[in-house]
Amino acid sequence: MNIVLYPQPKINIGLRVTARRSDGYHDIETLFYPVDSHTDILEIIEADSVSMTYFGTPYELPGGDTEKELCVKAYRLLQKEFDLPPVGMYLHKSIPVGAGMGGGSSDAAWVLRGLNGLFKLNLSDDHLAEYAARLGSDCPFFIYGRPMYGSGRGEILTPCDSPAVAQLREKYRIKVIAPGIHVSTSEAYAYLSPDPSGRGLSDLLDTLPVEEWKDRILNDFETTVFALHPELARIKQSLYDEGAVYASMSGSGSAIYGIFR
């Protein structure tokens, strides 16, 4: 038996860092939005032993240890509870690494989704999201694959009912530029000062049309990351020069996207 899946990346529409937590993480407000560009291809097949094979964009296993790979960790979560047989996972990487598009988290979440379907575990999305939360803060979003507000570390998800966001697929196109610059998330956070003030992101997105997002819907990481990598600011401006109604960095970078009519 086998199953073929297409893990999608995400962009962040707005990202506010509101507090530094006692556990070392940060509280954030963001809108996770799935996009179709740079989609990975994942095949899961029953095998004699557990394996993980990569194609496409070069990717180094953490410490060279397969067991530390997020997709393998996702498999192990379900294997322990459902006595799953060994599988081989074949992943063609197109989502840029270290670009703020959540590629690793998406792949791991789609492993959970794929195993659920392949072995007919009949787990609900909410149940799968509970497993995904053990893997990473933004992993649960990729279980649902629709626009969701994220809070807490990003794992607290709320469906987005914004009329403007609902129109994005119908009336706009999204262009994503991944310049190949690896931005360290820990470094990006190190230079950031959390700001709890200001109007809530969800309130802004629920009330503002897309044409009014510029200079209102902000990514707090841009100030520090653009200072470290000025070329990213130039890419953002180039999207406005092309006619984008809104442009922003995704996550802690380095991907930059523009929204066009």
Side-chain angles (χ1 to χ4, degrees), residues 94-114:
S94 294
I95 303 173
V97 177
M101 298 181 73
S105 297
S106 181
D107 295 334
W110 280 79
V111 166
L112 295 176
R113 294 174 65 167

Side-chain angles (χ1 to χ4, degrees), residues 36-51:
D36 296 328
S37 62
H38 304 91
T39 302
D40 286 349
I41 305 171
L42 170 68
E43 182 177 19
I44 305 174
I45 185 169
E46 283 195 67
D48 294 330
S49 61
V50 177
S51 64

Side-chain angles (χ1 to χ4, degrees), residues 159-206:
C160 173
D161 297 321
S162 161
V165 173
Q167 291 179 342
L168 285 180
R169 291 199 183 278
E170 298 176 6
K171 297 184 177 181
Y172 300 86
R173 65 180 176 89
I174 298 175
K175 177 179 179 179
V176 181
I177 298 176
I181 298 170
H182 189 287
V183 176
S184 165
T185 301
S186 59
E187 184 180 50
Y189 270 110
Y191 293 100
L192 194 67
S193 298
D195 180 8
S197 64
R199 190 174 171 190
L201 177 65
S202 61
D203 184 30
L204 288 169
L205 287 173
D206 285 348

